[in-house]
Amino acid sequence: DAELLAAHRAGDADAFGQLAGRHSRELWAIALRTLGDPDDAADAVQEALVSAYRRASTFRGDAAVRTWLRRIVVNACIDRIRHERVRRTVPWPERDLPSRRPDPAVELVTRLAVGEALAMVPVEQRVAVVLVDVQGYPVAEAAAILEIPVGTVKSRCARGRARLAVLLGHLREESR
């Protein structure tokens, strides 16, 4: 990644495209889970990649290029959320699930409820929960992406999970 970024800085016309291609699925997943809307996620990733392309010369090398790209996407998502351009009640896309699938209607209701609840969690907590619990990043890596201490990520996740538990408590009782 660092070599591709250096090649881009040196004028290689294809280097940044290769770099973006390597990480596009991961960046898309972060944006989609954070924003909840495929169109907004696509816009955020595009804005982030344009920003990274233009500001490649500002990359200091303090973190991995991959972490730098993730941080730019997270910032683009936060900007979109703060400007209230996000529709907050869009279901999450289908993904491969184990062969024993629940009733599709129940699954849809659950997905909608989770998406709505996640949208109600403060943005700092939402981003931490999405990175750690949804995307599966280790807390230390999420802290590097967000450029905050590990303890702050842990506390934001804990508060976000607590809010989600209250907001989604009805799902637990309905399944009994």
Side-chain angles (χ1 to χ4, degrees), residues 33-48:
R33 295 296 192 237
T34 302
L35 298 172
D37 178 70
D39 294 330
D40 288 328
D43 289 344
V45 171
Q46 183 176 5
E47 290 167 10

Side-chain angles (χ1 to χ4, degrees), residues 16-90:
F16 192 83
Q18 291 175 19
L19 180 63
R22 277 187 189 175
H23 299 286
S24 62
R25 290 184 64 135
E26 178 183 20
L27 300 176
W28 163 258
I30 291 168
L32 183 61
R33 295 296 192 237
T34 302
L35 298 172
D37 178 70
D39 294 330
D40 288 328
D43 289 344
V45 171
Q46 183 176 5
E47 290 167 10
L49 289 175
V50 167
S51 177
Y53 181 88
R54 290 180 178 161
R55 296 182 20 211
S57 63
T58 66
F59 178 70
R60 296 184 312 256
D62 297 340
V65 173
R66 178 179 177 202
T67 303
W68 177 68
L69 289 172
R70 288 186 210 145
R71 179 64 195 171
I72 294 171
V73 168
V74 167
N75 285 343
C77 292
I78 290 170
D79 288 346
R80 286 180 126 347
I81 291 167
R82 287 189 177 147
H83 290 105
E84 298 180 337
R85 288 184 253 161
V86 178
R87 292 177 300 279
R88 299 180 182 264
T89 58
V90 176

Side-chain angles (χ1 to χ4, degrees), residues 9 95 105 160 168:
R9 291 161 111 173
R95 51 180 235 199
L168 297 171

